[in-house]
Amino acid sequence: MSYRRFVAVGDSLTEGKGDAYPNGELRGFADMISHGLRVAAPEAMYANLARPSVRAHEVRRDQVPQAVAMAPDLVTAVAGINDAIALAFPRRRVHDEILALFGDLRRALPDATIVTCTLPDLGHLSAVARLWRGRVHVLNDAARDAARAHGLVLVDLEDDLPMTADELALDRVHPSPLGHLRFARRFAQALDVPEPDPSYLARRPRAERLYRLYRTAVVAPRFITKRVARDTLIAGQPPKRPQLEHV
């Protein structure tokens, strides 16, 4: 299978938080998928509209129309984790918003392949994640319901092998480079496209590893602060790849 116009929408997970290129720019599972797509289709193009801190209704309101306008043949969409970590969590409203997000995508892109995933249970690795375990189950139920209702490709990471400590970033929330690689491989397998080349993980120079450690270490205080200054963080962070470009 080959795809030529790939658009990713979502939050900091899709943006690539927890992983970085040697120059410090975020990479993540969506970028890894795009490089696999290029193997099958050298002319493949890729846009990533994800932004940090956004909730499901904001992905639907702001990113879905932009994605549709690009006429993609492949869309990945993962949303809801920022709803789950908010102080208030209206379960039914979030569930319905996720279904509506995918309904909008399917109606506008009836022939596109649309992919989402369930989220892994990180409770065995993170005390913070244990606090949100029930809420994450709501998100996963919504992803499964959306897949059935709208003909999505579902990557079921909740029922996958448990993630290891090495696959979780130091903030204990986002995947590490190895974690993003796991996500990307599972998406590639579900799509029947070439899996990403993991060789760059073994070539990370010491200075870049230290820089990644610094980036990850400062995520945690921002992660807590964003509950107070969330709008400021969103406004100050444009999409990482707002236009379709060759991979």
Side-chain angles (χ1 to χ4, degrees):
M1 180 67 72
S2 63
Y3 298 94
R4 289 167 174 76
R5 299 172 70 86
F6 168 37
V7 179
V9 300
D11 50 37
S12 58
L13 173 62
T14 299
E15 184 188 33
K17 193 65 63 71
D19 182 27
Y21 291 101
N23 65 2
E25 294 181 1
L26 295 179
R27 175 168 165 149
F29 78 90
D31 280 26
M32 294 183 190
I33 293 169
S34 75
H35 290 292
L37 297 178
R38 184 179 61 182
V39 174
E43 71 277 20
M45 303 179 75
Y46 164 52
N48 190 320
L49 305 179
R51 300 176 71 192
S53 304
V54 293
R55 298 179 183 173
H57 76 277
E58 293 165 323
V59 175
R60 181 189 179 199
R61 181 191 68 199
D62 301 329
Q63 297 179 31
V64 166
Q66 295 177 55
V68 167
M70 296 178 185
D73 56 6
L74 173 63
V75 180
T76 62
V78 184
I81 191 61
N82 289 303
D83 297 271
I85 66 175
L87 294 178
F89 182 67
R91 293 173 178 244
R92 175 51 58 181
R93 185 186 308 167
V94 172
H95 178 279
D96 291 349
E97 192 64 47
I98 291 172
L99 262 67
L101 183 162
F102 287 106
D104 290 353
L105 280 171
R106 178 52 74 208
R107 283 189 292 274
L109 301 168
D111 298 322
T113 298
I114 303 173
V115 193
T116 192
C117 69
T118 59
L119 298 171
D121 185 347
L122 304 178
H124 63 293
L125 297 174
S126 168
V128 174
R130 284 195 290 273
L131 297 175
W132 308 326
R133 181 174 275 161
R135 296 180 176 191
V136 170
H137 288 327
V138 173
L139 303 183
N140 289 344
D141 287 344
R144 293 188 179 100
D145 290 346
R148 286 190 292 267
H150 302 298
L152 314 180
V153 175
L154 179 69
V155 179
D156 199 341
L157 296 172
E158 183 180 33
D159 290 339
D160 207 350
L161 292 173
M163 291 185 72
T164 67
D166 288 342
E167 293 174 321
L168 199 59
L170 293 184
D171 66 2
R172 318 313 287 168
V173 175
H174 295 95
S176 70
L178 283 172
H180 277 285
L181 180 60
R182 175 193 279 222
F183 273 61
R185 282 175 163 168
R186 293 285 283 108
F187 272 73
Q189 291 163 6
L191 290 167
D192 192 24
V193 299
E195 294 186 28
D197 177 7
S199 60
Y200 92 105
L201 294 171
R203 299 196 307 266
R204 303 172 79 85
R206 182 173 182 273
E208 193 276 326
R209 290 199 302 269
L210 291 174
Y211 181 74
R212 182 173 65 85
L213 177 64
Y214 165 77
R215 283 184 62 93
T216 307
V218 300
V219 164
R222 290 183 72 244
F223 183 72
I224 296 170
T225 305
K226 76 180 183 181
R227 290 191 174 185
V228 178
R230 195 178 70 90
D231 292 342
T232 301
L233 286 173
I234 295 172
Q237 182 67 49
K240 63 179 286 184
R241 195 180 176 103
Q243 303 296 330
L244 277 172
E245 299 174 359
H246 288 288
V247 178

